[in-house]
Amino acid sequence: FGLGYTFYFHRNWGVGAGAEIALYNANITIHSLSDNYDTKDIDGRDVNYRSAIQNYKEHQNLWNLNIPVAFYFQTDPFEIHKFYASVGFKLGVPVKAMHRSNDDASFVTSGYYPQWDQELTQQKDMGYGTFSVAERNKNLDLGLSCMATAETGMKWYLSSKLWLYTGAYAEYGFNNIVKDNSNNFISYDLYNPEGLQVNSVITSRYIKKVNPWGAGIKVKLGITLNKVPKKLTGEQVQNSLLDEVIMRQDSLMGVISDVASREQITMDSIR
C-alpha cells in the first residue's frame, strides 16, 4: 500500500516519488547441521562447544517503509489508453522485523575439553544434552535497504481525472540489511547454560548476505490534478480543423470588411 506523485515535464516523460508499506517474507529449513567453536564454560574453562541440529524451520518477515524515486515513460498506442514504464530506486526503512521457529526441532549439544581429552554429553546443568525449544517469535535488528526497481504496464482511462494502472514490477536490493551476522547459531549462555540460546539463521555466521527482492502484480489508481481533455477521434479532429478554417475565414473577412470601411471613411473625408 502506498501513495505517490508523478510530475510529467513532457508529454511522454515524468519523474515520481512517494512512500509505501511493503511486507517481505522468507523461509529457511535445516534438515541436518553440525557446528562447533571454542568458548569458555560456566567455570571459565576452555571448551569446544559442539551442536547438532535437525528439522529446524524458521520464518522471517520484514515490514518496510519504502521511499521510491523513479523516471516514467508513457505513450498512447490505443486511443485514450496509455502504455507506461518506469525505472528507479527505493530506500527501505525497516519498521518491524521478526523471526519465528518451529517447536519440533532437535538440538543435541556437548562439550569437548582438550585438556582432559574428554567430551561431556549428558550434563544439562552445564548446557550439554538433548534439548527442544518451544515455538517463539523474536525481533530482528535489520538496517536500511537500497533497491533498484522497474515497472511496466497499462494506464487505463476512466475519466478526465481518473486512471487505472495495471502492471508488473520487480525490485532487487543490493546491500546486506543484517547489521551483525557474526553470531553463532547456537550460543553457549554462561549465565543460563540449561536454557538453549538459538539465534536467527540470518544473523548467524552461516549467512554472508541478506538482501530483499520482490516481483509481482501492481494495481494503482491515478488522479490527475489538472484536467486533461479526452483524446479526439479522427472525425472529431477533422471537424475541429474544419471549424478552425471557418473561424479563420470569418476572421479574414472581418479584416477585409474593416479595411474597406476605413477606405470608405477616408474617401468620404476627402470629398
Side-chain angles (χ1 to χ4, degrees):
F1 175 79
L3 294 173
Y5 176 78
T6 304
F7 172 74
Y8 282 92
F9 52 85
H10 182 272
R11 182 172 178 270
N12 301 110
W13 297 94
V15 61
E20 59 188 26
I21 294 292
L23 173 63
Y24 300 89
N25 292 282
N27 293 285
I28 296 177
T29 299
I30 298 176
H31 297 291
S32 180
L33 175 68
S34 297
D35 189 23
N36 71 89
Y37 57 89
D38 294 330
T39 185
K40 300 285 187 181
D41 68 6
I42 56 176
D43 296 318
R45 293 171 296 199
D46 293 333
V47 61
N48 183 253
Y49 185 64
R50 300 174 176 180
S51 59
I53 303 99
Q54 289 186 333
N55 301 321
Y56 178 82
K57 297 178 182 179
E58 182 177 304
H59 174 79
Q60 306 96 21
N61 60 64
L62 165 65
W63 287 95
N64 247 13
L65 172 62
N66 289 338
I67 304 173
V69 176
F71 289 98
Y72 284 81
F73 170 77
Q74 67 175 15
T75 185
D76 48 358
F78 308 109
E79 287 288 337
I80 57 177
H81 306 302
K82 298 178 183 292
F83 165 82
Y84 78 93
S86 71
V87 292
F89 68 92
K90 290 181 181 180
L91 178 65
V93 181
V95 177
K96 186 176 183 179
M98 298 189 69
H99 74 93
R100 184 180 71 251
S101 60
N102 61 320
D103 58 0
D104 56 352
S106 172
F107 302 89
V108 179
T109 63
S110 63
Y112 173 73
Y113 291 84
Q115 61 272 39
W116 304 324
D117 191 23
Q118 183 178 6
E119 183 176 7
L120 303 183
T121 59
Q122 299 298 326
Q123 289 73 18
K124 282 198 172 184
D125 59 329
M126 297 179 66
Y128 311 136
T130 301
F131 299 86
S132 61
V133 178
E135 181 176 335
R136 76 226 192 290
N137 293 284
K138 294 184 69 176
N139 292 327
L140 288 170
D141 186 17
L142 303 180
L144 298 175
S145 56
C146 297
M147 296 175 282
T149 179
E151 183 180 340
T152 186
M154 287 298 299
K155 181 179 175 182
W156 307 97
Y157 178 89
L158 300 180
S159 70
S160 60
K161 289 192 175 184
L162 206 59
W163 299 83
L164 177 65
Y165 291 75
T166 58
Y169 77 95
E171 57 190 25
Y172 183 82
F174 292 101
N175 65 308
N176 184 14
I177 62 174
V178 177
K179 294 182 179 180
D180 181 14
N181 54 357
S182 61
N183 300 308
N184 293 305
F185 180 34
I186 308 297
S187 295
Y188 186 82
D189 191 348
L190 288 173
Y191 305 101
N192 182 27
E194 292 183 74
L196 200 65
Q197 183 176 336
V198 182
N199 299 308
S200 172
V201 179
I202 67 172
T203 62
S204 71
R205 51 191 171 90
Y206 305 127
I207 306 296
K208 299 302 180 184
K209 182 180 180 181
V210 176
N211 54 312
W213 65 273
I217 303 299
K218 183 173 285 190
V219 178
K220 301 186 292 186
L221 192 64
I223 300 174
T224 303
L225 299 182
N226 296 321
K227 185 174 181 180
V228 178
K230 181 179 177 180
K231 183 179 177 181
L232 299 177
T233 63
E235 183 179 355
Q236 289 173 323
V237 170
Q238 292 178 357
N239 292 338
S240 177
L241 292 175
L242 182 60
D243 291 341
E244 185 176 353
V245 170
I246 294 174
M247 290 176 63
R248 289 183 178 179
Q249 288 178 345
D250 290 343
S251 177
L252 180 60
M253 292 300 295
V255 172
I256 294 174
S257 300
D258 184 55
V259 171
S261 299
R262 290 182 180 179
E263 289 180 351
Q264 183 67 37
I265 293 173
T266 305
M267 293 297 293
D268 290 341
S269 61
I270 294 175
R271 294 176 184 175

